[in-house]
Amino acid sequence: MASSSSDKAAGRVLLPLNINPTRYDITLTPDLTAFTFAGITTIELTTAHDVSTSTIIMHAKELCFANASYTVKDEPVDVHEAERFLFFGLLAHSTQFTLILTIHYTGFLNNQMAGFYRSSYTDIHGTKKTMASTQFESLDARRCFPCWDEPARKAVFELDAFSNMPELSHKTLEGGIKKELTFLDTPIMSTYLLAFVIGTTSHGVLVRVYTPPGKSDTGVFALHCATKSLDAYDDFFGFHTPSKVGYGGYSGVCCRSDGELGSVTYREVDLLIDPTKASIGASVVWNLVTMTWWDDLWLNEGFASWAENWAADVLYPQWSMWDQFTTGHLSAALRLDALKSSHPIQVPIHHAEEVEEVFDAISYCKGGSVVKMIRAVLGMKAFQKGLGNYMKKHAYGNTETFDCGRLGRIAVDCLVVLVDGSPLSAEDVEKKWCIPILTCTEEERKRQRHCAFAKGGWVKLNAGQDVPMRVKVTSTMIDRLSLGIQSKTLPPADRAALLSDAYALVKAGKMQPEGLIKLLSSYKNEDSSLFGRLDAVMSDDPVMSKNFSALAKKIVLGLLGQVGWEAKSDDGHLDVLLRGMMIGLLSSFCYDDESVAAEALKRFHAFQADHSDMKSLPSDMRSSVFKIVLKNGGTKEFEDVKAYFDQASDNAERKHVLGSLGHTPVPKLKNATLEWAISGEIKLQDFFYPMGAVALSLGFMQKNFNAIKTMIGNANSSLMDAVIVSCAGGFCSNEKADEIEAFFKANPVLGLQEDSADT
């Protein structure tokens, strides 16, 4: 059975419950030149019944306090600062009362993408400007204002300057230089969900997307997705979303952060879609029900991962989102879940800082996969009804896993298996796990829960990939399934899963490489984007790697003959994805093919002459063409590609350079790429991309580890995780695993999980 609420709460380090915030009024005055801000936060507090209250303890970090006052009595307040907490001393009161506490303080607009921080953008005239925005999830609201920074301590907020709430009043200050805006109160919410941006953009529509000047056209697609997605959620849950009841609007804001609820901030590359350049989309997820504590993070993020794919599938069924879920979310979850450092989707969190360790593919991707499994087991009708009831019952509230488990007994069983499970140790090898298995056969392709048998035909276990598990197929099964692969009677998600499972099993030493190559030979006429990272499987076996690469090259050149370089007038979304994937595989296996190299160079030169030439070099093949040119070139080609970083119009374009430059075969240029990565010329949130492009750059990371740690500073720990995976994630040997483990034992990183590298 799932753990009870009281059992789970044992050992948590929480602020005292004797005082609770009910409302925050926040006034901030940023100085975008000095990178500081002045703050006044007024908090309405209520005390618990029959509790003697003499001290207020709240969260605060990197704030400098000037004075504080409260309105119960004119009593002096003693302020004591600590690393994470702020203490106020006041006279004891033994009865329940309301306290209005006002605090004056200053803070720093840091460059660590945490709290209230600074970023930059380029205006319509090409001038670089500074902006201030927020990143509060998970523990950084305290860097902006003193607060009860825990998910269950919800309150309403009065914000100024910019909000998704309707404007209440405004007035001009300081001779017209500044304007003060006041907005209606937010709904009750947790601190980490709060988000705001300093700007002068006007309000007025129910769903809004804010973009940098000159880029309004690129926000149209996001606006369309936001409107349609919210309508779809209304219909599915039978519950009006906050955009229609009590919120005043849903706002999408383009900056370098992300938050949730009614005003969501996005990185530019995730929100702005130029229809002439891109073929990807977006979906909208809001935060209506919040987990009580961080050990149930998966409740928010797992359901969000499922819901965003569901909404995109409703809006664009031709995109086959659930097939892409198999090659994306599920594959990411299984890759991380295969490591010794894996963890259940529900992890005991005692100190809030520990939550940084579970913002990973387990909480997001495996969590989403578990939700997909529950839907498959319950059926859509019961699943939808249960979720609708859950949303209505707990709207604006906090829940725990067992509240969600009441979707049905089967759902609870599924959750218990995966929630309470942990990576198998030697003594756990004999444990048996009861998991649902859906099957389909050549004769009956509809998924069914009973075990299917076939005489001579193929049988697919884990049909539809609804359960996060690996399936090892026998030689006989490969022979039979090959017929389904070649005839395409086996659905795309299942064809993709067979390859994904085989790759993983070979890498883990659980399957002979010959079996994978035998299976792969069945995909010679494959016309869907299934192949993934073919080059990562045989990297430590030179002979097998050579044979594998030769087979992969033959398959990819065959696919090139079917798909071609040029877009066709009747291309659908999946055709565009397939072409982009295919050219990516050309850059891995066929870059030395004479015709491929010549075509890539021709397109690169056309693009150099005119960066608006989307026909010669569409955005979805740009990185791959850069890689082909680099692999066949030298210093000139390296400098030509790097030059585009400064010429590109937005960060999405600059990432093409960051992700490809390290593919030069020239050692000194590889090293130059790595040195550039830590030079400070690249934004902090992007500096690890060149390291991943160089690949296997473990030595560089080890040599420059202290410099990298200094660069990251107090920024989110996920940046260090990204550096480690980028530099060490491509190895596949016990020797490298031992080396990496030894390095981090000698150079510990706070919050770093063991086996961060995919070894």
Side-chain angles (χ1 to χ4, degrees):
M1 293 295 294
S3 301
S4 68
S5 179
S6 59
D7 291 340
K8 290 172 59 184
R12 292 177 185 168
V13 178
L14 303 171
L15 293 179
L17 298 176
N18 59 336
I19 290 183
N20 291 296
T22 57
R23 175 188 178 88
Y24 294 84
D25 291 347
I26 305 169
T27 300
L28 297 170
T29 304
D31 185 332
L32 299 182
T33 301
F35 303 142
T36 61
F37 64 91
I40 304 174
T41 295
T42 299
I43 313 172
E44 183 176 297
L45 305 165
T46 59
T47 62
H49 286 282
D50 301 323
V51 173
S52 179
T53 302
S54 61
T55 303
I56 299 174
I57 304 176
M58 53 202 304
H59 290 109
K61 187 174 184 179
E62 298 174 359
L63 301 178
C64 302
F65 297 93
N67 60 75
S69 62
Y70 65 103
T71 60
V72 174
K73 288 182 180 179
D74 294 329
E75 299 168 350
V77 178
D78 296 323
V79 180
H80 306 279
E81 296 181 41
E83 171 63 20
R84 294 173 293 156
F85 302 103
L86 187 66
F87 300 85
F88 291 95
L90 56 151
L91 296 183
H93 297 271
S94 59
T95 59
Q96 186 181 35
F97 63 95
T98 298
L99 178 74
I100 306 298
L101 177 65
T102 300
I103 308 168
H104 293 250
Y105 59 97
T106 57
F108 306 95
L109 292 173
N110 65 73
N111 62 351
Q112 303 291 308
M113 298 185 296
F116 193 22
Y117 72 96
R118 68 181 186 267
S119 186
S120 62
Y121 68 95
T122 303
D123 68 14
I124 193 171
H125 303 294
T127 304
K128 188 175 181 179
K129 296 292 186 68
T130 299
M131 65 183 295
S133 55
T134 62
Q135 168 58 40
F136 290 167
E137 190 175 24
S138 54
L139 306 173
D140 287 319
R142 65 191 70 179
R143 294 185 192 229
C144 181
F145 60 99
C147 58
W148 278 254
D149 203 4
E150 296 170 357
R153 309 299 283 273
K154 292 191 172 186
V156 297
F157 293 80
E158 180 181 299
L159 309 172
D160 59 15
F162 183 83
S163 173
N164 62 296
M165 299 306 298
E167 185 178 322
L168 182 63
S169 66
H170 68 273
K171 61 181 178 181
T172 301
L173 305 175
E174 300 183 15
I177 297 176
K178 297 181 180 179
K179 185 167 78 170
E180 179 181 282
L181 303 176
T182 303
F183 298 86
L184 295 180
D185 294 345
T186 70
I188 186 171
M189 58 191 285
S190 305
T191 53
Y192 83 94
L193 295 173
L194 184 65
F196 50 84
V197 177
I198 302 301
T200 59
T201 314
S202 61
H203 295 246
V205 295
L206 186 61
V207 178
R208 295 164 290 227
V209 174
Y210 296 93
T211 72
K215 296 185 178 181
S216 57
D217 289 347
T218 62
V220 173
F221 183 73
L223 180 65
H224 168 77
C225 289
T227 304
K228 297 300 182 182
S229 295
L230 289 171
D231 288 342
Y233 290 136
D234 275 357
D235 294 339
F236 182 82
F237 293 110
F239 184 93
H240 287 299
T241 67
S243 65
K244 297 182 180 178
V245 178
Y247 252 72
Y250 172 93
S251 300
V253 183
C254 178
C255 58
R256 306 290 196 284
S257 180
D258 77 295
E260 289 180 48
L261 205 56
S263 181
V264 183
T265 54
Y266 300 83
R267 290 195 63 188
E268 187 174 312
V269 296
D270 296 323
L271 182 70
L272 305 186
I273 305 295
D274 186 336
T276 66
K277 298 180 181 179
S279 58
I280 57 176
S283 57
V284 175
V285 179
W286 77 98
N287 192 304
L288 186 65
V289 182
T290 310
M291 68 273 162
T292 298
W293 184 240
W294 296 111
D295 53 6
D296 284 315
L297 176 68
W298 87 274
L299 270 180
N300 277 39
E301 309 305 352
F303 271 97
S305 295
W306 180 87
E308 66 185 8
N309 282 274
W310 173 84
D313 186 60
V314 170
L315 269 62
Y316 299 100
Q318 68 274 23
W319 289 4
S320 301
M321 289 303 298
W322 293 118
D323 289 342
Q324 295 184 58
F325 185 95
T326 297
T327 57
H329 282 67
L330 179 59
S331 292
L334 291 174
R335 280 197 302 271
L336 188 54
D337 214 18
L339 302 178
K340 292 180 181 179
S341 59
S342 183
H343 58 82
I345 56 175
Q346 184 191 69
V347 181
I349 300 292
H350 297 142
H351 295 267
E353 288 77 9
E354 296 169 5
V355 72
E356 300 293 351
E357 299 177 20
V358 296
F359 272 93
D360 57 16
I362 297 296
S363 296
Y364 285 77
C365 299
K366 184 178 176 181
S369 299
V370 168
V371 175
K372 183 172 184 280
M373 177 180 69
I374 295 171
R375 189 218 62 80
V377 173
L378 289 177
M380 180 57 86
K381 185 176 180 180
F383 178 74
Q384 182 176 356
K385 182 179 179 181
L387 275 182
N389 292 337
Y390 170 79
M391 291 293 184
K392 292 173 185 176
K393 180 177 180 180
H394 299 290
Y396 304 111
N398 297 82
T399 62
E400 304 202 44
T401 291
F402 59 79
D403 295 312
C404 173
R406 291 169 186 161
L407 283 168
R409 181 62 208 175
I410 297 176
V412 173
D413 290 341
C414 293
L415 284 171
V416 170
V417 167
L418 290 152
V419 168
D420 294 340
S422 60
L424 295 180
S425 60
E427 58 270 21
D428 288 333
V429 171
E430 298 303 319
K431 283 188 176 180
K432 300 292 192 297
W433 300 99
C434 179
I435 58 175
I437 297 180
L438 288 84
T439 67
C440 66
T441 68
E442 187 172 356
E443 291 78 20
E444 180 55 74
R445 293 174 202 160
K446 182 179 179 181
R447 281 173 280 179
Q448 48 195 334
R449 292 192 63 194
H450 66 270
C451 188
F453 297 92
K455 296 181 179 179
W458 52 261
V459 177
K460 176 62 174 63
L461 301 179
N462 198 18
Q465 296 306 106
D466 283 319
V467 181
M469 66 176 182
R470 297 289 191 194
V471 175
K472 180 180 178 181
V473 292
T474 66
S475 178
T476 300
M477 293 175 72
I478 291 175
D479 290 338
R480 296 185 179 185
L481 287 165
S482 293
L483 300 176
I485 295 168
Q486 294 170 24
S487 65
K488 298 185 177 62
T489 54
L490 196 66
D494 292 303
R495 302 201 301 272
L498 286 170
L499 278 180
S500 177
D501 287 352
Y503 297 156
L505 290 165
V506 169
K507 194 171 185 181
K510 303 294 184 182
M511 180 176 177
Q512 292 301 312
E514 292 84 352
L516 171 59
I517 293 179
K518 181 180 180 182
L519 180 66
L520 186 60
S521 64
S522 304
Y523 290 83
K524 292 179 180 178
N525 298 315
E526 184 57 55
D527 56 1
S528 61
S529 52
L530 305 180
F531 292 109
R533 291 183 61 195
L534 297 183
D535 56 336
V537 181
M538 308 293 180
S539 57
D540 285 343
D541 186 333
V543 175
M544 187 62 70
S545 179
K546 182 178 179 180
N547 293 334
F548 181 85
S549 296
L551 175 60
K553 183 175 183 178
K554 183 177 181 180
I555 293 174
V556 175
L557 287 175
L559 186 59
L560 173 62
Q562 298 179 52
V563 178
W565 289 82
E566 292 288 345
K568 300 178 177 62
S569 59
D570 59 347
D571 277 348
H573 176 73
L574 295 181
D575 297 311
V576 175
L577 287 180
L578 175 61
R579 184 173 294 106
M581 180 277 299
M582 180 270 297
I583 295 174
L585 291 175
L586 289 178
S587 72
S588 295
F589 297 105
C590 312
Y591 64 90
D592 56 350
D593 179 87
E594 186 175 343
S595 62
V596 169
E599 182 68 22
L601 190 61
K602 181 187 75 173
R603 290 174 178 272
F604 178 69
H605 286 159
F607 180 71
Q608 275 189 299
D610 180 6
H611 288 165
S612 66
D613 184 358
M614 293 296 109
K615 187 175 187 299
S616 295
L617 199 56
S619 181
D620 57 354
M621 68 170 66
R622 194 160 301 152
S623 291
S624 300
V625 167
F626 284 0
K627 292 174 187 177
I628 296 171
V629 170
L630 286 163
K631 287 182 176 182
N632 288 292
T635 302
K636 181 181 183 303
E637 288 73 18
F638 179 87
E639 295 298 339
D640 286 345
V641 171
K642 187 180 179 183
Y644 183 57
F645 183 82
D646 294 321
Q647 300 163 359
S649 59
D650 57 54
N651 210 45
E653 289 298 300
R654 286 186 281 272
K655 283 181 69 175
H656 292 310
V657 178
L658 298 177
S660 60
L661 199 61
H663 286 266
T664 173
V666 183
K668 69 175 183 179
L669 296 179
K670 284 184 177 290
N671 188 66
T673 301
L674 294 171
E675 294 291 345
W676 182 50
I678 62 172
S679 67
E681 296 178 24
I682 303 171
K683 287 184 178 295
L684 186 64
Q685 62 262 41
D686 295 328
F687 85 103
F688 57 87
Y689 288 115
M691 299 180 187
V694 171
L696 308 184
S697 48
L698 178 60
F700 178 84
M701 183 197 72
Q702 293 170 329
K703 180 181 177 181
N704 296 276
F705 196 63
N706 289 333
I708 293 170
K709 286 177 65 176
T710 301
M711 284 181 62
I712 294 174
N714 294 324
N716 194 288
S717 62
S718 63
L719 283 173
M720 182 57 78
D721 291 344
V723 169
I724 295 168
V725 171
S726 296
C727 295
F731 294 107
C732 186
S733 70
N734 291 328
E735 291 77 14
K736 281 298 180 183
D738 293 340
E739 178 185 345
I740 294 167
E741 183 177 7
F743 178 80
F744 285 107
K745 283 183 178 179
N747 300 271
V749 178
L750 183 64
L752 178 67
Q753 300 181 51
E754 294 181 4
D755 295 298
S756 289
D758 186 11
T759 55

